[in-house]
Amino acid sequence: MLLRTLCKISTVSPGITRVKNGQHSFVKFGEIVRSFATRLPGAGEYQDPWKLVKDEFTNIGEGVTKKAVPKQTDILIIGGGLIGSSVAFWLKKRYPVGVSVTIIERDHGYTRAASALSVGGIRQQFSRPENIQMSMFGAEFLRNIKEYLSVLDLDPPDVQFHHQGYLLVAADNEQAQALHENYKLQKVFGAHVDLMSPEQLKDKFPWLNTEDIILGSYGLQNEGWFDPYLLLMALREKNEYHEVNYVQGEVTGFEFKTERTYGAGNVIKEHKLLDNALVQTDDENIHPVKCAFCINAAGPWAGEVSKMLGIGDGPGDLTLPLPVEPRKRYVYVIHTPDGPGLDCPFLVDSDGTYFRREGLGGHYICGASPLADEEPDTNNLEVDYEFFNNRIWPRLTHRVPKFESLKVKNAWAGFYDYNYVDQNLIIGGHPYFKNFLFCNGSSGHGVQHAPAIGRAMAELIYDDEYKTIDLSKLEFDRFTGGRIVVENNIY
């Protein structure tokens, strides 16, 4: 079992308790004393213990402790967004003590994080069984979030889950057939989805132009939207309660060790294992962190992290790269007092243009994925308002005539961790580096699938297999075996 590997290194970094007092956070001195006492250096490695205490107090601001980089950890997670934090949550849920987990996150404010900049949609209307099941569990997780993420003496989490439903519409026979096929698959797994004729859609949503609609697929339960930033903060609060160590820094490289095994005829085979991750902190110092497992949860930049191990640049099992790259998407906030109103679903039009209600004051958010030759530059988060004027606004006013008088109030851009081969999650181990694991490439639905992905990663590490949702078809080796798994419902 993979868990046995954890026995090869000791746990470290007991962490610091954070205590809420009104709107302020502080660190209890007694907890610091106890924490540094467990990390005193051995003989011949003297360090001033009071310096350790001082270091713990360094850079405490606005209730967040900037922790030191540990020398070793059982499990190292690169990326502290929703997926990385979910992995840590499920690891510590199974073993609150005895297994040390460290998250390396370079953007502790999450100003560029895909998680925080997402529109927060959740739907069951996918074309792959794995995605349907992950979304259904995601909805169950959100409905019962207080049971999962409440922390003693703190207010229970609220991620503002709006149970409004997705509405996908088809404007030609091919799209309608796809909705039919997906509907049958979704019903097999217990999804509450209904197919609606144009007349039924017009009756339920009088503001909707149905003249060119052939069929609609509407989610009756377990669909809608939520605030992904609030979910991220709730996961982080729970993780820190369980002493997950969030470290501000950036992984800049790796160090390896050689494992020797005996093959047929007692032939010795040598194989590399990841030994240390090199973490650069704000002071530009490089800290090697020894780990038993390293999990790539770096989102849009997961491909860059994998290249540091030579994945995609070497022979044999290292030939194929991780097919994940950032793709920039725009989100626009619009306002019209005469819009669809409170019964507005999360509508995805036949060309992929989407909109949903935002709050109660006549605001909506909307967007669309650009065509292949329109992909914007990913070196910045600037917003292209001409994309709204030329691509989105005409489609919105066609589908909802009352949007003719809308005004753009705000906008932002965010990144997808885009799997450019089959637009699906890549999970599990690498065929060469056995202790380097992926959870990347969800292509826009990683936010809603984060609870299920985190649980699956914990099962893989602790049980050496998927116990709840079988994600084996989504592992990296599908690319070497030519078993591409395409998700058709990507917007």
Side-chain angles (χ1 to χ4, degrees):
M1 291 176 58
L2 294 174
L3 180 58
R4 294 171 184 165
T5 309
L6 295 175
C7 300
K8 297 181 180 180
I9 66 172
S10 61
T11 58
V12 297
S13 183
I16 300 171
T17 302
R18 299 187 338 143
V19 181
K20 290 287 185 180
N21 181 18
Q23 295 182 343
H24 304 284
S25 298
F26 60 92
V27 182
K28 292 194 291 187
F29 182 79
E31 292 294 330
I32 293 177
V33 173
R34 286 190 289 274
S35 73
F36 87 78
T38 64
R39 293 182 286 116
L40 291 175
E45 301 177 10
Y46 176 78
Q47 296 179 32
D48 184 354
W50 292 107
K51 182 179 183 300
L52 295 176
V53 177
K54 182 180 178 181
D55 289 344
E56 294 291 1
F57 278 108
T58 301
N59 294 319
I60 298 177
E62 300 182 2
V64 178
T65 302
K66 191 173 181 180
K67 298 182 180 178
V69 182
K71 292 183 178 180
Q72 58 184 27
T73 185
D74 292 327
I75 301 172
L76 183 73
I77 301 172
I78 303 174
L82 272 174
I83 290 179
S85 292
S86 176
V87 172
F89 165 74
W90 288 102
L91 289 169
K92 297 298 282 186
K93 189 175 189 300
R94 287 275 296 270
Y95 292 98
V97 296
V99 175
S100 58
V101 179
T102 298
I103 292 178
I104 307 298
E105 172 56 54
R106 64 182 179 182
D107 178 16
H108 265 211
Y110 298 106
T111 56
R112 295 171 59 89
S115 299
L117 297 174
S118 164
V119 299
I122 181 168
R123 57 184 165 95
Q124 306 156 93
Q125 298 182 64
F126 285 95
S127 64
R128 288 292 313 174
E130 298 88 350
N131 292 329
I132 297 168
Q133 293 175 86
M134 284 194 287
S135 288
M136 293 182 68
F137 176 70
E140 187 274 329
F141 187 91
L142 294 178
R143 289 198 313 270
N144 298 286
I145 192 168
K146 293 179 174 62
E147 297 179 20
Y148 284 110
L149 299 183
S150 289
V151 175
L152 188 65
D153 295 332
L154 297 181
D155 291 337
D158 178 9
V159 296
Q160 301 178 13
F161 186 14
H162 296 270
H163 303 263
Q164 205 72 28
Y166 265 70
L167 174 60
L168 312 184
V169 299
D172 59 43
N173 291 329
E174 183 178 354
Q175 291 180 339
Q177 181 62 30
L179 287 185
H180 270 290
E181 295 299 321
N182 294 339
Y183 167 80
K184 290 188 291 185
L185 180 64
Q186 292 152 13
K187 297 294 284 186
V188 167
F189 291 98
H192 296 277
V193 181
D194 194 15
L195 294 180
M196 303 178 70
S197 67
E199 294 75 22
Q200 291 172 315
L201 289 172
K202 191 67 175 180
D203 183 60
K204 185 171 181 61
F205 306 112
W207 42 264
L208 187 67
N209 174 17
T210 61
E211 291 180 358
D212 60 339
I213 293 177
I214 296 176
L215 188 66
S217 178
Y218 182 56
L220 303 175
Q221 293 182 22
N222 298 326
E223 293 194 341
W225 57 88
F226 61 95
D227 189 324
Y229 182 76
L230 293 179
L231 176 59
L232 176 56
M233 291 299 100
L235 277 167
R236 180 160 177 164
E237 193 75 61
K238 186 71 170 183
N239 286 343
E240 291 184 330
Y241 176 78
H242 283 304
E243 298 183 347
V244 172
N245 189 16
Y246 280 81
V247 172
Q248 184 168 351
E250 182 174 1
V251 173
T252 58
F254 296 93
E255 295 176 337
F256 308 95
K257 62 183 177 182
T258 301
E259 181 182 64
R260 292 178 174 85
T261 58
Y262 287 94
N266 291 328
V267 176
I268 298 177
K269 294 183 177 180
E270 293 189 350
H271 198 86
K272 282 186 177 180
L273 285 176
L274 189 155
D275 192 27
N276 293 314
L278 304 179
V279 178
Q280 182 174 353
T281 48
D282 290 344
D283 56 11
E284 298 188 356
N285 287 326
I286 303 294
H287 307 264
V289 181
K290 189 178 185 66
C291 58
F293 290 104
C294 182
I295 298 173
N296 186 351
W301 298 274
E304 296 179 10
V305 171
S306 297
K307 286 180 182 178
M308 297 179 194
L309 289 92
I311 295 174
D313 294 326
D317 290 335
L318 294 174
T319 301
L320 292 179
L322 178 69
V324 174
E325 64 184 17
R327 295 281 180 94
K328 188 164 75 172
R329 297 293 180 261
Y330 307 120
V331 181
Y332 303 91
V333 181
I334 61 176
H335 177 266
T336 179
D338 301 320
L342 296 180
D343 68 339
C344 179
F346 197 129
L347 190 146
V348 182
D349 212 336
S350 56
D351 70 336
T353 302
Y354 69 83
F355 67 87
R356 69 161 173 85
R357 179 172 56 82
E358 175 71 1
L360 305 176
H363 289 89
Y364 303 83
I365 63 175
C366 58
S369 292
L371 300 176
D373 59 354
E374 297 175 331
E375 285 292 345
D377 183 8
T378 58
N379 291 324
N380 59 65
L381 286 175
E382 295 177 1
V383 175
D384 181 0
Y385 286 91
E386 287 304 308
F387 183 75
F388 176 85
N389 294 331
N390 298 330
R391 167 75 186 277
I392 296 177
W393 196 358
R395 194 64 187 179
L396 290 178
T397 56
H398 168 75
R399 189 58 63 210
V400 182
K402 289 185 176 181
F403 276 149
E404 181 66 39
S405 61
L406 67 81
K407 295 185 182 299
V408 178
K409 294 294 186 179
N410 199 357
W412 72 86
F415 295 114
Y416 275 9
D417 60 329
Y418 192 79
N419 171 356
Y420 54 81
V421 174
D422 59 15
Q423 294 78 59
N424 246 324
L425 171 69
I426 304 164
I427 193 169
H430 186 267
Y432 186 83
F433 296 107
K434 304 299 183 183
N435 61 341
F436 184 76
L437 293 89
F438 302 109
C439 47
N440 314 112
S442 290
S443 304
H445 44 277
V447 166
Q448 59 186 295
H449 290 167
I453 293 171
R455 184 178 64 173
M457 289 298 296
E459 292 169 353
L460 195 59
I461 289 175
Y462 291 146
D463 305 314
D464 208 18
E465 63 179 338
Y466 303 109
K467 291 287 190 180
T468 50
I469 302 173
D470 183 7
L471 301 181
S472 57
K473 292 182 179 179
L474 301 182
E475 294 189 343
F476 182 88
D477 63 6
R478 73 181 187 265
F479 303 121
T480 61
R483 302 182 302 275
I484 303 305
V485 182
V486 176
E487 171 56 56
N488 294 317
N489 287 7
I490 299 295
Y491 305 108

